[in-house]
């Protein structure tokens, strides 16, 4: 299992467009990919889950990837988060 | 044969089969099931069908309208593909032994409640997307058909209660020959869209969706406002003849394409077009527009989830200015609020939105938004003949404040080494009676006026133009309106300035003679009305129309004025 903590830096938070990008990035992988924040858990392959977290600028979350292809999945998702300027 | 009467919203005659754009009944009842697996399989099937359908719509929309418009269906696909959604539905079926339809509505209800409770308007609106997708899945479960205008593959007349701007935009001109709706008026969104799509339309029939069935033969006469359902062959033949004559007349008008607009006694006026985006330029040029009299910039801000950047706006304005190749282009600054909302700019609910915090009032308050737009306009100014217009000006102080901000941004740009035109005219919309009454004072400070009649009539008559019950008060020919128009035109001429008009009235065949007589300089209308109006003005004598207008100003009622115009202008 791989985990990393992030803080949202995008002033608009994780709104619809980045949420869609995250789901699209996570979906091809077999691993379980989750975001944990303030006692809530979202399946990163579920747009409804991710948007329901309503992550705002400044809120922190933990990315947790677990499964056979966790290394690749972790890399793909963290790369997107950082490159799109969503969180750091 | 049944005949319906509505409001002629867009010229032309169309004859085709009816296509009802009416939402089906999606009522769900709870049932107890015994075969969990079979019920879960129904979920998989309905999802697969919905995904296939959405993929098709997304593809078509992308091809016809572009990536941006297709994005919404991408979002719908993500919801339809959501593993948590299907998981929750299957779990509900297994645990509660209920039918798939009921499981779907229960699951969706909880997601929708979650999104609707969020403190962010943008997220609350996503609840509507979820409902939309859920309705599509539900329709497949129930075996009913959700109409999808972008999927129409044969020539039809669309029949609907009302058409939203996005629905109208999806109509394919090759297949949708015309439309008719239950509600709406000449200035409703559907009517304006019909004219920009150049398809005949009759709106406000009251009963189109209850009278007309799928496949009925329908004639839409956008010239008279009549809709004929299942006419006999003779009637069809007569209308085909009428359509041919209309086409011949349009050819006749086309000859005026590159001519100036002159009255029979040689007075020249300018016929220009109202546009909503750079995409409309093609239509303006094809219909002989002598410029753009109103570029409604709010469409740049709509249908997206954040404010357009200065560069995005700059490119749009530059495209329009260059496209018009030195012809005048009046660009109106942001007119949002009222009935027009932006999902990413939450505004408090208002009791009287049309009398509320909108247009220039909002822009003077949210200067961050206003200044970005002004900078984009100023930077684009060197690419053509730009005129900047502020909407909803009620007091001279508002105009002065707006102009001061504009000049401040101009100075900043010049200091930063940007090129800005020195000949930008700065004018205002006259749509609030206080401004019309004070036009003589305004005329000393503005470069031009443009009368926005849709709002001027609404505010003068105190009649909400969205309210069908008071639509009889929408009276462009009312002498009260004509007198206000005259005050504005006279005031501008006294100061050597000009007055235009950019409401629907400027292209109305019975108003044009009066406006010519009152001395209006610039008429801004839907591009499709330009040639017809040029042909009309060619037949009118300015001197005679002055006499007509003088007489009209002294009449008592709108009906008397209209009667008089019809007597004089045949």
């Amino acid at each position: 299992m791989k985990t990393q903590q992030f803080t949202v830096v995008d002033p608009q938070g994780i709104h619809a467009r980045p949420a869609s990008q995250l789901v699209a990035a996570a979906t091809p992988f077999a691993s379980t990919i989750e975001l944990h924040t303030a006692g809530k858990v979202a399946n990163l392959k579920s747009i409804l889950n991710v948007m329901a977290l309503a992550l705002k600028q400044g809120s922190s979350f933990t990315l947790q990837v677990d499964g056979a292809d966790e290394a690749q999945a972790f890399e793909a998702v963290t790369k997107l988060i950082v490159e799109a300027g969503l969180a750091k | 044969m049944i005949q319906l009467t509505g409001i002629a919203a867009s010229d032309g005659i169309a004859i085709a089969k009816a296509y009802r754009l009416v939402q089906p009944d999606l009522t769900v009842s709870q049932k107890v099931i015994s075969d969990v697996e079979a019920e879960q399989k129904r979920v998989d099937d309905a999802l697969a069908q919905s995904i296939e359908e959405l993929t098709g719509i997304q593809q078509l929309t992308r091809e016809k309208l572009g990536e941006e418009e297709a994005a919404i269906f991408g979002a719908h696909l993500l919801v339809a593909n959501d593993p948590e959604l299907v998981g929750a539905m299957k779990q509900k079926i297994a645990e509660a032994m209920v039918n798939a339809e009921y499981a779907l509505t229960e699951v969706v209800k909880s997601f929708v409640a979650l999104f609707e409770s969020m403190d962010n308007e943008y997220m609350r609106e996503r609840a509507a997307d979820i409902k939309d997708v859920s309705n599509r899945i539900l329709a497949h479960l129930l075996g009913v058909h959700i109409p999808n205008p972008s999927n129409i593959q044969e020539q039809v007349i669309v029949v609907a209660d009302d058409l939203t701007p996005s629905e109208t935009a999806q109509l394919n001109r090759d297949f949708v020959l015309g439309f008719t709706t239950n509600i709406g008026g000449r200035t409703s969104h559907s009517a304006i869209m019909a004219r920009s799509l150049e398809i005949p339309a009759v709106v406000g029939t009251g009963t189109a969706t209850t009278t007309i069935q799928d496949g009925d033969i329908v004639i839409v006469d956008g010239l008279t406002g009549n809709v004929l359902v299942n006419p006999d062959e003779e009637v069809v033949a007569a209308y085909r003849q009428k359509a041919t004559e209309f086409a011949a007349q349009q050819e006749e008008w086309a000859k005026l394409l590159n001519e100036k607009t002159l009255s029979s006694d040689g007075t020249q006026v300018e016929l220009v077009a109202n546009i909503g985006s750079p995409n409309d330029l093609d239509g303006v040029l094809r219909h002989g527009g002598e410029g753009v009299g109103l570029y409604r910039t709010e469409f740049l801000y709509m249908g997206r989830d954040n404010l357009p950047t200065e560069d995005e706006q700059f490119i749009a304005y530059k495209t329009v200015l260059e496209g018009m190749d030195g012809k005048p282009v009046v660009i109106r600054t942001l007119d949002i609020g009222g009935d027009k909302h932006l999902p990413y700019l939450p505004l408090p609910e208002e009791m009287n939105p049309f009398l509320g915090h909108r247009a220039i009032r909002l822009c003077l308050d949210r200067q961050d938004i206003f200044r970005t737009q002004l900078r984009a306009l100023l930077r684009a100014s060197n690419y053509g003949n730009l005129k900047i217009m502020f909407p909803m000006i009620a007091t001279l102080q508002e105009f002065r404040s707006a102009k001061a901000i504009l000049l401040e941004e101009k100075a900043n740009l010049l200091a930063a080494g940007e090129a800005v035109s020195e000949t930008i005219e700065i004018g205002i919309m006259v749509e609030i009676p206080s401004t019309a009454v004070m036009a003589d004072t305004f005329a000393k400070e503005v470069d031009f006026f443009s009368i926005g009649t849709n709002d001027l009539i609404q505010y003068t008559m105190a009649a909400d133009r969205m309210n069908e019950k008071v639509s009889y008060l929408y009276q462009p020919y009312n002498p009260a309106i004509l007198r206000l128009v005259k005050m504005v035109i006279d005031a501008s001429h006294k100061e050597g300035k000009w007055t235009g008009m950019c409401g629907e009235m400027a292209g109305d065949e019975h108003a044009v003679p009066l406006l010519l007589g009152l001395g209006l300089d610039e008429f801004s209308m839907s591009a499709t009305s330009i040639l017809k109006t040029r042909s009309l003005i060619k037949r009118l004598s300015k001197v005679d129309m002055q006499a007509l207008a003088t007489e009209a100003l002294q009449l008592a009622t709108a009906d008397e004025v209209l009667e008089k115009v019809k007597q004089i202008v045949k």
Side-chain angles (χ1 to χ4, degrees), chain B residues 247-268:
Chain B
Q249 194 179 38
Q250 286 207 303
E251 253 176 63
E252 201 52 41
W253 290 338
K255 291 181 190 151
L256 300 172
L257 192 61
N258 298 310
E259 293 200 8
K260 289 179 182 167
T261 309
L262 294 168
S263 67
S264 65
D265 50 354
T267 297
Q268 187 176 347

Side-chain angles (χ1 to χ4, degrees), chain B residues 477-497:
Chain B
Y477 316 113
N478 191 298
I481 303 297
L482 300 179
R483 289 184 191 193
L484 286 175
V485 169
K486 180 181 161 52
M487 285 174 81
V488 176
I489 296 173
D490 289 352
S492 70
H493 290 174
K494 202 161 160 240
E495 298 294 333
K497 313 286 172 69

Side-chain angles (χ1 to χ4, degrees), chain B residues 4 9 14-23 64 145 147-164 166-183 190 194 197 199-205 207-221 226-229:
Chain B
L4 306 175
I15 308 173
K17 272 197 281 185
Y19 177 93
R20 287 162 48 86
L21 190 52
V22 180
Q23 295 308 318
K64 281 193 316 211
H145 175 67
N148 167 29
S150 60
N151 240 346
I152 296 171
Q153 303 287 359
E154 57 172 342
Q155 297 198 323
V156 295
I157 304 272
V158 167
V159 179
D161 182 46
D162 190 16
L163 286 169
T164 63
S166 68
E167 280 172 333
T168 323
Q170 284 181 54
L171 300 180
N172 180 336
R173 254 188 285 185
D174 295 337
F175 297 123
V176 177
L177 302 189
F179 68 74
T180 181
T181 62
N182 293 348
I183 62 174
S190 57
L197 286 168
I199 56 179
V202 173
V203 301
T205 60
T207 54
T209 57
T210 46
T211 314
I212 304 171
Q213 299 307 315
D214 266 324
D216 282 350
I217 297 295
V218 175
I219 299 176
V220 169
D221 184 345
N226 288 330
V227 176
L228 304 163
V229 187

Side-chain angles (χ1 to χ4, degrees), chain A residues 16 20 43 45-48 51, chain B residues 78 82-84 114 122-123:
Chain A
S20 318
N43 176 352
K45 297 173 188 174
S46 161
I47 187 74
L48 296 172
M51 296 214 314
Chain B
L78 276 176
D82 195 308
E84 297 292 326
L114 181 63
Y122 183 78
M123 287 306 225

Side-chain angles (χ1 to χ4, degrees), chain A residues 12 14-17 20 23 43 45-49 51-54 56, chain B residues 78-79 81-85 111 114-115 118-119 122-123 126 130 305-306:
Chain A
Q12 302 195 54
I14 306 289
H15 54 100
R17 193 174 300 158
S20 318
V23 171
N43 176 352
K45 297 173 188 174
S46 161
I47 187 74
L48 296 172
N49 268 197
M51 296 214 314
L53 289 185
K56 291 190 182 121
Chain B
L78 276 176
V79 176
N81 274 308
D82 195 308
E84 297 292 326
L85 179 69
F111 278 114
L114 181 63
F115 279 82
M118 290 189 184
D119 59 358
Y122 183 78
M123 287 306 225
R126 302 285 65 75
I130 301 170
D305 55 20
N306 48 16

